[in-house]
């Protein structure tokens, strides 16, 4: 073969000399890859996927998993803001009681000598009441001026509405799940008692190698709902079932981990000889 024919074959795609036209027009059949795959036997130990689309981002299982992650994140934010609001509400209640008490002592309480109302016949007592009242007023002004009122009371109360406005873009909303009245009542005072039986509304984390894991029961306090207009009833029902089954298994696993941690603590206490 000359150098010119080689150049034509490589660059121009020309057929080599001696090639007939029928062999070019009707080439030999190429074995089908799909037929070989269909006749091939599955390799032992290789996982067989029943639905290859289940791992796609647009598949329902992946959507349910993302919704579950979103709900857990919203739940954590809600519990944090609720605890902050309860602490600030308790402090404001104490401040209001302080101001009301000293206002009554300075302006409405009958005097000791019966000469009128307000103040005291003792100069030290009356001066102390005036200083206490002035201190309460200054504290209230500082709470308002430094933004503690907005961060601790106003913003936590508005968070649910603002979050639902943002979730409207993905056709979802959050609903607060209320517990029994006695549980809610004790929850308002739980931060005052650092004991385990009152920590029903606080996040409990424990160091589980190699990460820090949340061990509190989940699936409560907050629920992510899908709006009925863009989603079909079947899709929303499957989401509710997926969420319910997941939290049942996850809460059972967390309860088992909590029992293991308690047993481990008791074992270490017995070994060290410390029961309290």
């Amino acid at each position: 073969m000359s150098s010119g024919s080689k150049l034509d074959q490589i660059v121009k795609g020309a057929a080599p000399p001696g090639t007939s036209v029928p062999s070019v027009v009707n080439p030999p059949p190429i074995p089908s890859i799909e037929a070989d795959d269909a006749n091939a036997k599955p390799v032992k130990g290789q996982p067989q996927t029943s639905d290859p689309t289940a791992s796609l981002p647009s598949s329902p299982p992946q959507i349910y998993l993302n919704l579950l992650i979103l709900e857990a994140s919203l739940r954590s934010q809600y519990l944090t803001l609720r605890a902050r609001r309860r602490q600030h509400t308790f402090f404001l209640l104490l401040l209001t009681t302080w101001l009301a008490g000293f206002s009554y002592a300075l302006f409405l309480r009958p005097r000791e000598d019966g000469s009128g109302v307000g103040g005291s016949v003792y100069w030290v007592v009356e001066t102390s009441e005036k200083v206490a009242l002035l201190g309460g007023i200054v504290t209230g002004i500082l709470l308002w001026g430094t933004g503690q009122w907005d961060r601790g009371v106003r913003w936590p109360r508005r968070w649910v509405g603002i979050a639902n406005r943002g979730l409207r873009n993905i056709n979802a909303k959050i609903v607060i799940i209320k517990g029994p009245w006695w549980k809610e009542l004790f929850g308002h005072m739980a931060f005052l008692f650092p004991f385990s039986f009152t920590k029903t509304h606080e996040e409990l984390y424990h160091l589980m190698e190699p990460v820090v894991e949340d061990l509190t029961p989940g699936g409560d306090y907050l629920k992510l709902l899908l709006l009925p207009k863009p989603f079909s009833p079947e899709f929303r029902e499957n989401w509710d079932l997926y969420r319910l089954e997941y939290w049942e298994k996850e809460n059972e696993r967390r309860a088992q981990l909590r029992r293991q941690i308690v047993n481990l603590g008791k074992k270490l206490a017995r070994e060290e000889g410390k029961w309290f």
Side-chain angles (χ1 to χ4, degrees):
M1 184 183 297
S2 63
S3 60
S5 62
K6 282 185 177 181
L7 183 63
D8 291 340
Q9 181 180 356
I10 296 174
V11 178
K12 302 179 182 179
T19 304
S20 60
V21 174
S23 63
V24 177
V25 177
N26 300 318
I30 299 175
S32 176
I33 299 177
E34 295 180 356
D36 293 344
D37 293 342
N39 297 329
K41 296 181 179 180
V43 180
K44 186 177 182 181
Q46 183 178 0
Q48 302 295 326
T49 56
S50 58
D51 187 5
T53 63
S55 59
L56 295 177
S58 59
S59 63
Q62 294 297 321
I63 295 176
Y64 296 153
L65 180 60
N66 292 332
L67 290 175
L68 203 62
I69 296 173
L70 176 61
E71 183 186 83
S73 176
L74 293 172
R75 175 182 178 271
S76 177
Q77 295 180 45
Y78 169 74
L79 292 178
T80 302
L81 292 174
R82 189 184 66 169
R84 184 192 304 174
R85 185 189 65 185
R86 288 179 173 178
Q87 292 176 2
H88 283 75
T89 302
F90 180 76
F91 179 77
L92 289 175
L93 180 62
L94 292 181
L95 181 61
T96 303
T97 306
W98 178 280
L99 292 174
F102 286 105
S103 298
Y104 172 79
L106 282 174
F107 304 108
L108 300 177
R109 187 182 65 181
R111 296 174 64 91
E112 293 84 349
D113 56 358
S115 60
V117 294
S120 176
V121 295
Y122 303 103
W123 176 82
V124 176
V125 174
E126 185 173 355
T127 304
S128 301
E129 291 173 350
K130 291 180 180 179
V131 171
L133 180 62
L134 182 62
I137 295 174
V138 172
T139 303
I141 295 175
L142 289 177
L143 282 175
W144 180 269
T146 57
Q148 292 296 324
W149 167 263
D150 288 336
R151 288 192 297 267
V153 179
R154 187 167 174 265
W155 166 244
R157 291 180 61 184
R158 299 180 56 198
W159 179 82
V160 175
I162 295 176
N164 281 332
R165 262 184 277 170
L167 292 173
R168 205 177 297 166
N169 296 326
I170 62 173
N171 301 310
K173 70 175 183 178
I174 54 177
V175 176
I176 305 301
I177 303 175
K178 295 292 184 180
W181 65 269
W182 57 268
K183 193 174 182 181
E184 294 291 331
L185 180 61
F186 280 106
H188 284 277
M189 309 297 295
F191 61 91
L192 295 177
F193 306 99
F195 303 109
S196 59
F197 64 90
T198 58
K199 292 185 177 181
T200 56
H201 296 138
E202 296 182 2
E203 291 292 338
L204 176 62
Y205 292 90
H206 190 80
L207 181 60
M208 306 290 293
E209 296 293 340
V211 296
V212 178
E213 186 170 355
D214 180 15
L215 299 182
T216 54
D220 50 359
Y221 303 122
L222 185 143
K223 183 178 181 180
L224 184 66
L225 294 180
L226 302 179
L227 299 181
K229 186 175 180 180
F231 297 102
S232 64
E234 182 181 0
F235 188 87
R236 290 186 285 113
E237 183 180 359
N238 291 337
W239 155 242
D240 292 336
L241 292 176
Y242 182 91
R243 178 183 179 277
L244 181 62
E245 293 177 358
Y246 171 82
W247 282 119
E248 285 180 355
K249 297 178 181 178
E250 181 66 14
N251 288 335
E252 183 179 355
R253 186 186 69 86
R254 293 183 181 184
Q256 184 178 1
L257 289 177
R258 289 196 300 269
R259 288 193 295 267
Q260 293 177 1
I261 293 173
V262 171
N263 294 333
L264 180 60
K266 291 180 179 179
K267 180 180 178 181
L268 294 177
R270 285 194 297 267
E271 291 177 356
E272 296 177 0
K274 297 178 182 178
W275 289 91
F276 301 100

